[in-house]
Amino acid sequence: MFTSVLMIEKALTSADVEFVTTLHGDETVIFRVLLQPRGDQADRLLRAIDDVALGEIDEAAREGDVPEGQEAAAPAQKALEVSLTALRAAGCEALGQLIEDHPLDALKQLVEEANADEVIVLTDPHYVEEFFHRDWASRARHKVGVPVLKLFSHAKD
């Protein structure tokens, strides 16, 4: 039995699910999913710069419309439920929770509680944060004590 902590910021696509559930071949994997709403993890300017770097000018213009704080809780809970359902449908055990504050503290605590074998950070590219090694994966590598794999999420199905 292999335990992976999966950090995400939005609902998993079917391609994301296929990718993470096939990383370990036929080995049984338990996923412990942490989701922090996108609006809570970085400021709008950084998200807009990332959108521009990806050539998504329309997305950059809509960054002000991304729900934040309490407004982000309901969509985040729905995204978590969709992701857990998809992982279970792929034959994996999956439990999850929303992160309210301090994502790396929550990650470290869950890795210890679940006796996790690895962390998978599956997010959209965050070029500014990654360049300065301030993204979740870079920071987690110094905090959790298990291997950390950084993957980019797939576009919507």
Side-chain angles (χ1 to χ4, degrees):
M1 189 88 45
F2 198 85
T3 303
S4 292
V5 175
L6 180 59
M7 278 188 84
I8 60 176
E9 62 188 359
K10 64 181 184 180
L12 297 174
T13 65
S14 59
D16 293 333
V17 171
E18 181 178 354
F19 194 37
V20 299
T21 59
T22 59
L23 284 173
H24 298 289
D26 293 333
E27 189 164 1
T28 303
V29 179
I30 298 171
F31 287 98
R32 300 291 302 267
V33 181
L34 293 174
L35 185 144
Q36 182 174 29
R38 184 172 183 217
D40 287 350
Q41 70 164 320
D43 67 38
R44 288 181 182 157
L45 177 60
L46 289 178
R47 292 193 317 255
I49 291 170
D50 287 336
D51 290 337
V52 170
L54 290 168
E56 298 174 351
I57 306 303
D58 292 340
E59 287 295 318
R62 288 193 291 268
E63 282 300 337
D65 299 333
V66 174
E68 295 184 359
Q70 291 294 40
E71 293 177 7
Q77 185 63 43
K78 179 66 175 166
L80 179 61
E81 291 168 9
V82 166
S83 299
L84 295 174
T85 298
L87 289 167
R88 291 174 187 143
C92 298
E93 182 179 326
L95 302 169
Q97 66 191 63
L98 294 180
I99 304 171
E100 294 180 18
D101 312 304
H102 311 293
L104 293 173
D105 292 340
L107 175 63
K108 182 177 177 158
Q109 181 179 353
L110 182 57
V111 165
E112 292 170 358
E113 287 173 6
N115 196 26
D117 298 296
E118 71 179 355
V119 170
I120 300 171
V121 177
L122 182 71
T123 65
D124 288 334
H126 298 293
Y127 294 117
V128 174
E129 291 175 344
E130 289 165 18
F131 180 79
F132 291 106
H133 303 284
R134 300 302 302 154
D135 60 299
W136 284 344
S138 296
R139 292 168 47 207
R141 286 186 181 103
H142 303 286
K143 192 162 187 136
V144 297
V146 297
V148 177
L149 179 61
K150 168 68 175 163
L151 301 173
F152 291 122
S153 57
H154 292 77
K156 294 179 182 173
D157 293 320

